[in-house]
Amino acid sequence: GDSVTQMEGPVTLSEEAFLTINCTYTATGYPSLFWYVQYPGEGLQLLLKATKADDKGSNKGFEATYRKETTSFHLEKGSVQVSDSAVYFCALSAQAGTALIFGKGTTLSVSS
Amino acid sequence: GAVVSQHPSWVICKSGTSVKIECRSLDFQATTMFWYRQFPKQSLMLMATSNEGSKATYEQGVEKDKFLINHASLTLSTLTVTSAHPEDSSFYICSATTSGGSTDTQYFGPGTRLTVL
């Protein structure tokens, strides 16, 4: 079945460092891909999404490009801030209106 | 943007009692709502898919008689954990999709932390 694999954490960075969180997926067809963020004590928030190959999702300085050839959707940010400390989930949706399949989540900790 | 609320945000109950969790879409109509469960430091696992006016579809391994789901209107779905036991302690999260169109963005509630003593 469909699945999402993302890099194990935790990821610990200093402020202004470059961030990459790897995410690969397995799916039949052409899923939509998402990154969600969960701040401590809060629910999931949609960070960005891409619905077709070569689309780039971006938000708050974060970017991810839908790469069909490598079945990947890696999350990147050029300069992280302490406020970016959170758990990041990669997810896919096989088709519109269906439940999301999540990766295990990657904890990011940014220190000043 | 679309907002989904959950109530209560946290609940502590005694073993053997039932607990009801509400999930509401505040500013949009949601024909489909999903219920997930999240264990500490783990990912979200889908429990069931709830469609307005019809019976919920449960994932394999989820007891439908224990986790009762009702989707009575386009803005409200409820999850009732019946005869709760300590192993049911978890973080329960709902999400909702906007009705119609081709969008597949899900909006998540803030979650309900259930602790069963």
Side-chain angles (χ1 to χ4, degrees), chain B residues 58-72:
Chain B
Y58 291 82
E59 294 300 297
Q60 191 172 9
V62 178
E63 299 177 58
K64 62 180 181 180
D65 294 330
K66 181 169 186 61
F67 298 99
L68 301 179
I69 292 172
N70 183 276
H71 195 157

Side-chain angles (χ1 to χ4, degrees), chain A residues 32 34 36 38 42-44 46 49 89 93 96-100 102-104, chain B residues 32 34 36 38 42-44 46 91 93 97 102-106 108-110:
Chain A
S32 294
F34 305 82
Y36 281 84
Q38 186 177 32
E42 299 183 15
L44 271 72
L46 177 64
K49 70 175 184 179
F89 291 94
S93 171
T98 61
L100 292 170
F102 287 89
K104 293 187 175 182
Chain B
T32 303
F34 303 95
Y36 297 85
Q38 184 181 27
Q42 294 190 30
S43 188
L44 283 74
L46 178 67
F91 196 51
I93 303 172
T97 58
S102 61
T103 180
D104 53 3
T105 299
Q106 289 187 25
F108 284 80

